[in-house]
Amino acid sequence: MRCAALTGISPEVIRDLRTGRPRTIELQSTHNVVTISGVEPGSEVQIFMTSTDIEDLGPGDTGICVDLLSSAISMKRIVEYSQGVYYEERERMSARVQVKYCFSSVVKEVFHESLCAPTKVETLKSSCYHAG
């Protein structure tokens, strides 16, 4: 199955999702926000999530597939003050997604063209676990 991939997700978040309850997660990594922006929520939309960093993602890496229940991308304005004289105003884009665990899976192939392109993977459903 080919699907979008979210990388660098905390192992604690993945462990929490495996309980089966829907969870809302805020994503701030540029590559994850770009990936989510190209996916529309729906009953048949699945996303691969892994704690592996995007630079290290490759065949054989494990993760979970989740149903994408909803997503929202927003811009936040941040103002930082320094010594009362200087301030800096920045904007930060983030994505909030609500997902629900489907099954564990393994990466078969990675499709990542650039930082500004969504990350996609070909996955296989894990039905057998091997001791490492």
Side-chain angles (χ1 to χ4, degrees), residues 100-113:
K100 184 176 180 181
Y101 175 77
C102 290
F103 53 84
S104 295
S105 59
V106 176
V107 174
K108 181 178 177 185
E109 189 174 353
V110 179
F111 306 96
H112 182 70
E113 298 162 12

Side-chain angles (χ1 to χ4, degrees), residues 9 11 26 28 39 51 54 60 64-65 82 87 96-98 110 118-119:
I9 307 299
E26 185 168 348
Q28 295 179 355
V39 180
S51 59
I54 192 166
I64 61 172
C65 281
S82 176
Y87 75 94
R96 291 179 62 87
V97 295
Q98 186 177 39
V110 179
T119 304

Side-chain angles (χ1 to χ4, degrees), residues 41-77:
S43 61
E44 296 298 318
V45 177
Q46 293 182 334
I47 295 177
F48 177 76
M49 296 177 79
T50 182
S51 59
T52 306
D53 290 331
I54 192 166
E55 297 87 10
D56 300 328
L57 188 63
D61 287 331
T62 60
I64 61 172
C65 281
V66 294
D67 286 327
L68 180 62
L69 304 176
S70 67
S71 67
I73 297 176
S74 62
M75 185 73 71
K76 295 180 182 179
R77 182 164 295 192

